Amino acid sequence: MKDETKCLHSGYTPQNGGPGVMPIYQSTTFRFNSTQEIAEVFDDPTKAHIYSRFTNPTVDCVEKKIAELENGIAAMCTTSGQAASLISILNIASSGDRILSSSAIYGGTVNLFAITLKKFGITVDFIDSDDDENKIQSAIKPNTKAIFGETLANPSLKVLDIEKFAKIAHSNNIPLIVDNTFPTPILCKPIDFGADIVIHSTTKYMDGHALQVGGVIVDSGKFDFTNGKFPDFTKPDESYHGTIYTKDYPNCPYIIKARAQLMRDFGCYPSGMSGFLLNIGLETLALRMERYCQNGLKLAEYFNNHPKIKSINYPALKNDKYYNLAQKYLPKGTSGVMSITMNGTRQETMNFMDKLKLASNEVHVADIRTCVLHPASATHRQLTDEQLVACGINPSMVRVSAGLENIDDIIQDFEQALT
Ligand SMILES: *Cc1c(COP(=O)(O)O)cnc(C)c1O
């Protein structure tokens, strides 16, 4: 099936006389006829649902749909994008290990990697994703367990050269983890370019309606965890009655371990209702992404020619530094998200934003409604103007997320505010 069809039909197949719409299994637990049957499900957790701290039939349908859209083999939903990032790393790295990450990633992930993981004993080394192969290679140490990057970085909108990173990761026998939140599988499927694990904040375009926070981890099933670098996958798991993930689940040891071990212990699993709401967003994802890209490009072209806008980052524009990479990895478009820098002071930028009527000023992005955010006074508020410039954020920069309103109304709102 093609993406539009998968969005509607993957994951759930109505049975004869059964509900046409995926039902909501809002139940903490599942009942069995015998103690023996429960024992068997504990032996092989892929056999049935046990307890909604780590499996649920409604969420299971959504996981299957997302795995199919990403050309992966299996997926696991989480209660936030942050939880997906955390588990994707903890499933591979323990205290004493390192991760190599692109520095062009979401601010929340920077905090998680640079501060919180450090307290767990995991060191994250950051590199510029534009560096050449040799420079990136030289940052990999013997205890580096994975490479991490974002396809289309939030908020810098740098495009990741996925094939370059996959090649480096694989020549070091470590997996490449890609956060594919902004493109969604509709605009880019990182697994097709060599990524091993794909994660998302489903809070953004996948949910699409700003209804709920969520995340997902997708396993390509392609990485060889028996290569000697990952003993947690090849030795018996004492916490799961001696399961050897690569032997007992050779097709997708990564996602089974993430669920059987980490989700069981952390319990950040969405409810049946959450799965149902996410699925409503996914049903129209392909259609919505097309329009976000159309509206995004028209709005970007408007800003690109406006005398009050000093610069714009939107990789679908021909004059963007990442245009060529975007043509390769995101040929259908680069979503509705862009960042603009005003010809004006921090205060003038804030005045302009306060004049917007249609576009919402809010801490959100990749939403059905057009929204804006001033990083300097919100997400990066603790930094001085000098520090902001040092980390690539201009005090006059605005992150703009084009929604699904009519593009004429969107442009008119920015026009009146700029005037
Ligand atoms: C928002 C976001 C996250 C974090 O997701 P939450 O659902 O807010 O926890 C991670 N990565 C990217 C690229 C994001 O935009």
Side-chain angles (χ1 to χ4, degrees), residues 80-82 85 106 109 150 154 179 181-182 201 203-204 213-214:
S80 70
Q82 286 297 95
S85 309
Y106 170 65
T109 315
E150 277 176 27
N154 177 9
D179 181 336
T181 295
F182 279 180
S201 163
T203 315
K204 314 296 164 50
V213 172

Side-chain angles (χ1 to χ4, degrees), residues 142-319:
N143 57 345
T144 301
K145 291 298 174 74
I147 303 184
F148 186 98
E150 277 176 27
T151 317
L152 185 56
N154 177 9
S156 68
L157 297 158
K158 276 186 170 195
V159 179
L160 188 75
D161 188 343
I162 301 171
E163 283 183 345
K164 175 177 81 175
F165 276 90
K167 189 172 152 217
I168 300 168
H170 298 157
S171 69
N172 289 278
N173 290 321
I174 56 176
L176 173 65
I177 305 173
V178 172
D179 181 336
N180 196 36
T181 295
F182 279 180
T184 81
I186 305 303
L187 302 182
C188 178
K189 299 186 200 302
I191 289 172
D192 291 357
F193 296 103
D196 302 289
I197 312 295
V198 172
I199 64 162
H200 287 272
S201 163
T202 61
T203 315
K204 314 296 164 50
Y205 286 128
M206 279 192 173
D207 171 278
H209 299 72
L211 294 181
Q212 62 174 359
V213 172
V216 70
I217 305 174
V218 184
D219 183 357
S220 70
K222 290 183 182 158
F223 189 79
D224 179 12
F225 285 97
T226 64
N227 66 18
K229 284 198 104 147
F230 301 93
D232 284 354
F233 285 79
T234 54
K235 296 215 173 99
D237 178 357
E238 59 179 91
S239 82
Y240 216 91
H241 46 74
T243 294
I244 299 174
Y245 294 102
T246 49
K247 184 165 150 276
D248 298 334
Y249 306 98
N251 293 334
C252 50
Y254 179 89
I255 209 77
I256 298 280
K257 178 173 171 295
R259 190 187 300 271
Q261 199 179 63
L262 299 182
M263 191 56 89
R264 177 202 61 191
D265 290 356
F266 297 163
C268 46
Y269 199 64
S271 68
M273 187 68 202
S274 293
F276 179 80
L277 290 173
L278 175 55
N279 187 54
I280 292 179
L282 290 171
E283 288 183 332
T284 57
L285 184 66
L287 188 60
R288 286 186 291 111
M289 290 315 293
E290 211 176 293
R291 183 61 66 85
Y292 289 125
C293 291
Q294 274 174 26
N295 280 358
L297 185 60
K298 282 185 189 153
L299 185 62
E301 281 165 349
Y302 161 79
F303 287 137
N304 204 24
N305 296 317
H306 200 289
K308 289 190 179 170
I309 308 295
K310 188 151 97 193
S311 62
I312 169 164
N313 294 322
Y314 188 71
L317 284 177
K318 288 211 170 67
N319 56 346

